[in-house]
Amino acid sequence: MTTTQSTRTNPATAATGTGSGAAVGGDAAPDTATARISGARQRIDDLDARIVALIKERMSASDEIQQIRITDGGRRVDLAREMDILRHYSDALGRERGTRLAMTLLELCRGTGGR
């Protein structure tokens, strides 16, 4: 066997695992890693879609609360409630990350009072 025959797989047959050298050396690992990465990326895409839907739902609920509060003569923002939310996220995700995420969500959900 020559050097090129002993460790390389024909690119046309690498995906199917057929042809000479398909199981030699590390040839199977890249395909397996690629499949695992693809699966993990699909999970992330699915999670991101769910997160976006939940953020939209949260924005809608927040808008409803703000409208009720304003109609009742109150302020659009409840700072005590926002502090509770900051603490909740900080406790759940760690001070730095939790606070950053909570601040982003609060900013998104504050709206302008007349979205």
Side-chain angles (χ1 to χ4, degrees):
M1 240 191 264
T2 66
T3 304
T4 57
Q5 290 175 326
S6 64
T7 58
R8 293 192 185 156
T9 303
N10 179 342
T13 60
T16 62
T18 60
S20 65
V24 175
D27 288 344
D31 291 335
T32 301
T34 300
R36 290 173 57 207
I37 289 169
S38 178
R41 285 181 176 159
Q42 184 59 54
R43 283 197 328 265
I44 287 172
D45 291 346
D46 293 345
L47 289 166
D48 284 344
R50 290 169 46 198
I51 290 167
V52 167
L54 288 169
I55 290 171
K56 286 181 176 182
E57 185 177 341
R58 189 187 196 289
M59 290 170 69
S60 177
S62 181
D63 190 48
E64 180 181 350
I65 291 167
Q66 290 172 49
Q67 293 305 314
I68 293 168
R69 199 180 297 122
I70 290 168
T71 301
D72 197 39
R75 298 180 58 194
R76 183 172 56 88
V77 176
D78 180 349
L79 296 178
R81 172 69 176 150
E82 288 194 359
M83 292 305 296
D84 290 341
I85 292 166
L86 284 167
R87 271 190 296 279
H88 173 76
Y89 277 84
S90 180
D91 290 347
L93 300 173
R95 185 168 185 240
E96 184 178 338
R97 288 180 178 163
T99 300
R100 266 191 293 161
L101 179 57
M103 290 298 292
T104 299
L105 284 171
L106 289 169
E107 185 177 323
L108 284 170
C109 293
R110 278 187 199 120
T112 59
R115 261 194 284 254

